[in-house]
C-alpha cells in the first residue's frame, strides 16, 4: 500500500518507519525542511531506541522517503495519516490549528479515492472536523475519514508498534475498515487484536486509556504517601495488588508524578471536552490534582534532612520525564528544579540523554550547572536527588560516589535503590512510599 504520513514527530516518524518495515511504501511529509534534510541523510532527529537503524534500513530499500511537499506526497497515497501536534491551547483545550491546517492543505492535492486517517491525539469529534475541512476545500474529492489512535510509549515505541496489544480503528463504513485492515495485515496475521469501532469510540478509547494509566500512577502515588505514615512499603503494596489479574502490575510504580507530552495534555483535554458537553469528569480532575502537587514530595524530603535549603548543593540525576528518552516536555523535573532554584539551591544536574532538550526548554537553565556524569554532578553535593530511573543510575557505586560528597542524603524519586544498600553505603535514604 502507498501510505503518506503527515508530520514527523515521535508518532508520525515511528509509525511511518514501522509501516515501511511492514512492507508498505511510505512517504513521510513534514514542512520543516531542516528535519526532512536530516532524515534524508539517515539522521534521526529524536532519541528512540532502534529508530535510526530502521530509517537507514527502509530508506535503502526505497520503501521509505522523506518530502516537504504536499503536491508530491498526497496524490499518490492510498491512505494518509495525520500525525500533527495538537498542543494544549486555552485552559488545556486541545489546539487543532495545525491539524486542521494540514487537512486543508491535503485537500488541495487529493487525487482518486483516499482514506484519511487521524492519528493525532485529538478530542472526540476531531475526525469530523477534518472531514469538514477537506470537504470545504475540495467538495468533489473522493475520500473516507477514519480514526486510528496510537499507543506508542517513548523509549519502547518500535516494540509497541510491532507488537501491539491492540490496533483500534474508527470508521464510518466497511470499505474504510477493510483498507485499514490491509494496512495492518502483517500484524493481524500474527494474531494481534484488531478492533473496528465507530469514529467517536476510537477517539475516546485513546483518551480513556491515557487517563486510566495516569489514574493508576496518581492512585499509587497517593497510596505511597499514606504508606509513609503507617510504615508500609509501596512496592510491596504494588506487588500485592498487581498479582490480582483484574488490577495488573503495570503503572503502579510510585514516583515523582507523571510527566511527558501526553498524559498531562490528554487528561486536561478530556476534562475540557467534557465541559463542552456539560459533563464533569470528577475522577480525572482528582488524578490531575494529585499529580499537580507531586513535585513537592521530594522538596519536603530534602527539607526534612537538610533544613533550610538555601545555599545547599543538590546533585539532580535525571532530567527526562522517564528513562529511555531525551524528552523533557512537561517533565516533573522542570517543576522540581524551578522550586529548588526558588529556594536558592545550587543545582548540579546530569542526564545521559536529555540535557540539551532541558537547556532549550527550561527558562532558568543558565542557573543550573550541567555535569558530564553522575559522579561529577555529585562532587561536593549535600544530597543526591534521583528524578529519572535510568539504568546507568541503578548501577552507580554508592560507596564510591559518597566519598566525593559533602552530605550523605539520597532522595530517590524513582525508588531505584534498596534502602538497605544505600544505608550500608553510609547514606540516609528517602524513597517514595518506603
Ligand atoms: C503514554 C502511554 O503509555 C502510551 O500508550 C501513549 O501512546 C502515549 O502516552 C501517547 O499518548 O502518545 P508516554 O507518555 O511515552 O506514553 O510514557 P509512559 O510510559 O506512559 O509514562 C508517562 C509518565 O508516567 C512518565 O513520567 C512515567 O515516569 C510515569 N509513570 C509511569 C510513573 O510514574 N509510574 C508508572 O508506574 C508508570
Amino acid at each position: 500500500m502507498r501510505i503518506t504520513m503527515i508530520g514527523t514527530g515521535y508518532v508520525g516518524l515511528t509509525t511511518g518507519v514501522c509501516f515501511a518495515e511492514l512492507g508498505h511504501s511510505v512517504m513521510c511529509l513534514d514542512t520543516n525542511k531542516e528535519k526532512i534534510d536530516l532524515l534524508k541523510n539517515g539522521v534521526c532527529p529524536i532519541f528512540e531506541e532502534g529508530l535510526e537503524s530502521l530509517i537507514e534500513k527502509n530508506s535503502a530499500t526505497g520503501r521509505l522517503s522523506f518530502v516537504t511537499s504536499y503536491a508530491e506526497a498526497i496524490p499518490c497515497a492510498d491512505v494518509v495519516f495525520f500525525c500533527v501536534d495538537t498542543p494544549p491551547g486555552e485552559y488545556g483545550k486541545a489546539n487543532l490549528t495545525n491539524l486542521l491546517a494540514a487537512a486543508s492543505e491535503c485537500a488541495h492535492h487529493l487525487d482518486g479515492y483516499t482514506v484519511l486517517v487521524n492519528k493525532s491525539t485529538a478530542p472526540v469529534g476531531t475526525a469530523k472536523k477534518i472531514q469538514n475541512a477537506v470537504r470545504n476545500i475540495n467538495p468533489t474529492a473522493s475520500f473516507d475519514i477514519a480514526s486510528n489512535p496510537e499507543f506508542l510509549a517513548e523509549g519502547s515505541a518500535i516494540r509497541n508498534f510491532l507488537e501491539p496489544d491492540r490496533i483500534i480503528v474508527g470508521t464510518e463504513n466497511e470499505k474504510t475498515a477493510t483498507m485499514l485492515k490491509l494496512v495492518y495485515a502483517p500484524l493481524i496475521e500474527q494474531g494481534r487484536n484488531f478492533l473496528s469501532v465507530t469514529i467517536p469510540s476510537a477517539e475516546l478509547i485513546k483518551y480513556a486509556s491515557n487517563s486510566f494509566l495516569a489514574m493508576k500512577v496518581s492512585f499509587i502515588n497517593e497510596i505511597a504517601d499514606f504508606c509513609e505514615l503507617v510504615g508500609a512499603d509501596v512496592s510491596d503494596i504494588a506487588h500485592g495488588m498487581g498479582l490480582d489479574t483484574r488490577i495488573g502490575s503495570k503503572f503502579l510504580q510510585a514516583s515523582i508524578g507523571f510527566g511527558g507530552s501526553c498524559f498531562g495534555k490528554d487528561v486536561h483535554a478530556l476534562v475540557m471536552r467534557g465541559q463542552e458537553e456539560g459533563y464533569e469528569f470528577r475522577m480525572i480532575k482528582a488524578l490531575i490534582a494529585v499529580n499537580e502537587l507531586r513535585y513537592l514530595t521530594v522538596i519536603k524530603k530534602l527539607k526534612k534532612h537538610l533544613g533550610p535549603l538555601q545555599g545547599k548543593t543538590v546533585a539532580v540525576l535525571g532530567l527526562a520525564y522517564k528513562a529511555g528518552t531525551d524528552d523533557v516536555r512537561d517533565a516533573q523535573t522542570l517543576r522540581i528544579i524551578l522550586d529548588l532554584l526558588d529556594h536558592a539551591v545550587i543545582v548540579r544536574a546530569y542526564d545521559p540523554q536529555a540535557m540539551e532538550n532541558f537547556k532549550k526548554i527550561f527558562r532558568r537553565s543558565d542557573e543550573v550547572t550541567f555535569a558530564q556524569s553522575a559522579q561529577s554532578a555529585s562532587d561536593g553535593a549535600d544530597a543526591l536527588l534521583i528524578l529519572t530511573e535510568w539504568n546507568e543510575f541503578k548501577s552507580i557505586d554508592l560507596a564510591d560516589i559518597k566519598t566525593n560528597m559533602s552530605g550523605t542524603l539520597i532522595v530517590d524519586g524513582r525508588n531505584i535503590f534498596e534502602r538497605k544498600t544505600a544505608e550500608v553505603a553510609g547514606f540516609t535514604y528517602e524513597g517514595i512510599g518506603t
Side-chain angles (χ1 to χ4, degrees):
M1 259 202 189
R2 290 164 308 174
I3 294 175
T4 287
M5 310 300 297
I6 304 183
T8 57
Y10 270 99
V11 173
L13 182 59
T14 310
T15 309
V17 171
C18 288
F19 278 147
E21 179 70 9
L22 294 186
H24 298 300
S25 176
V26 181
M27 265 195 201
C28 292
L29 164 68
D30 203 300
T31 46
N32 181 337
K33 188 174 175 309
E34 221 175 292
K35 214 184 207 186
I36 292 297
D37 285 343
L38 281 178
L39 288 162
K40 277 181 173 168
N41 289 318
V43 179
C44 184
I46 52 171
F47 173 74
E48 182 64 44
E49 189 81 51
L51 189 55
E52 196 161 84
S53 58
L54 280 187
I55 291 174
E56 200 184 327
K57 175 181 163 198
N58 286 284
S59 300
T61 63
R63 284 200 301 268
L64 180 65
S65 56
F66 299 97
V67 297
T68 53
S69 142
Y70 278 77
E72 194 177 343
I74 302 298
C76 56
D78 302 308
V79 185
V80 172
F81 284 87
F82 291 95
C83 305
V84 178
D85 62 328
T86 50
E90 226 182 346
Y91 307 115
K93 215 174 140 180
N95 178 344
L96 303 182
T97 312
N98 296 343
L99 179 58
L100 295 178
S104 301
E105 188 58 38
C106 167
H108 290 290
H109 303 283
L110 288 171
D111 185 7
Y113 177 74
T114 315
V115 176
L116 303 183
V117 188
N118 183 36
K119 212 177 226 315
S120 308
T121 299
V124 182
T126 299
K128 266 271 165 254
K129 288 186 180 167
I130 294 177
Q131 188 176 35
N132 292 338
V134 174
R135 236 338 129 236
N136 280 341
I137 302 271
N138 190 342
T140 58
S142 165
F143 75 96
D144 275 310
I145 189 84
S147 164
N148 172 218
E150 56 87 17
F151 302 105
L152 311 178
E154 290 181 24
S156 55
I158 291 169
R159 182 163 40 82
N160 295 156
F161 182 96
L162 295 172
E163 300 165 26
D165 289 336
R166 79 296 207 194
I167 298 153
I168 305 285
V169 300
T171 60
E172 289 184 322
N173 54 48
E174 260 312 302
K175 182 180 174 191
T176 318
T178 306
M179 285 283 276
L180 289 171
K181 242 184 203 161
L182 289 175
V183 169
Y184 286 104
L187 300 178
I188 298 168
E189 279 157 22
Q190 285 169 20
R192 301 289 165 185
N193 294 313
F194 180 88
L195 183 63
S196 174
V197 294
T198 63
I199 291 178
S201 295
E203 291 175 322
L204 192 51
I205 285 170
K206 168 71 189 186
Y207 280 91
S209 300
N210 270 6
S211 302
F212 190 80
L213 292 173
M215 186 179 67
K216 277 186 105 173
V217 176
S218 275
F219 180 88
I220 201 65
N221 282 339
E222 201 163 51
I223 295 287
D225 288 352
F226 190 62
C227 280
E228 292 181 13
L229 298 177
V230 297
D233 186 331
V234 74
S235 34
D236 291 339
I237 311 298
H239 187 204
M241 285 173 66
L243 291 173
D244 183 333
T245 51
R246 293 172 304 174
I247 297 174
S249 59
K250 292 181 181 161
F251 279 71
L252 290 179
Q253 179 66 50
S255 67
I256 52 173
F258 61 77
S261 67
C262 306
F263 280 5
K265 170 175 77 78
D266 294 351
V267 290
H268 279 105
L270 185 55
V271 168
M272 290 309 292
R273 186 68 187 85
Q275 266 180 34
E276 284 172 14
E277 302 293 333
Y279 186 80
E280 188 181 5
F281 280 103
R282 281 174 298 203
M283 271 168 78
I284 297 176
K285 281 185 173 174
L287 80 84
I288 294 172
V290 170
N291 202 58
E292 265 167 11
L293 293 180
R294 201 67 206 146
Y295 74 101
L296 289 173
T297 313
V298 290
I299 305 287
K300 280 188 207 145
K301 287 173 191 290
L302 288 169
K303 281 186 183 162
K304 179 175 150 193
H305 294 276
L306 300 180
L309 295 180
Q310 188 178 10
K312 298 281 170 13
T313 301
V314 173
V316 172
L317 301 189
L319 297 171
Y321 77 96
K322 64 172 189 177
T325 177
D326 61 355
D327 200 343
V328 298
R329 287 175 292 170
D330 207 17
Q332 294 287 345
T333 55
L334 299 163
R335 295 179 188 89
I336 292 168
I337 293 176
L338 193 62
D339 208 50
L340 291 175
L341 294 176
D342 284 345
H343 279 86
V345 168
I346 300 160
V347 177
R348 313 257 299 268
Y350 169 69
D351 186 287
Q353 293 294 341
M355 291 201 288
E356 287 316 306
N357 281 340
F358 189 87
K359 284 178 198 167
K360 278 185 216 151
I361 213 173
F362 187 64
R363 61 188 161 85
R364 290 172 66 183
S365 61
D366 56 336
E367 294 172 52
V368 176
T369 303
F370 294 93
Q372 289 314 308
S373 66
Q375 183 79 36
S376 65
S378 51
D379 272 356
D382 296 292
L384 281 186
L385 175 59
I386 319 280
L387 298 183
T388 313
E389 69 284 21
W390 286 105
N391 282 337
E392 182 178 323
F393 301 155
K394 293 179 187 166
S395 55
I396 284 174
D397 180 342
L398 289 178
D400 186 38
I401 221 162
K402 187 174 154 285
T403 54
N404 298 321
M405 289 177 59
S406 12
T408 57
L409 175 65
I410 293 184
V411 175
D412 184 355
R414 297 290 185 165
N415 290 348
I416 63 170
F417 293 116
E418 294 284 338
R419 171 183 297 281
K420 221 179 191 164
T421 317
E423 287 177 352
V424 166
F427 278 100
T428 301
Y429 181 81
E430 280 281 349
I432 303 286
T434 65

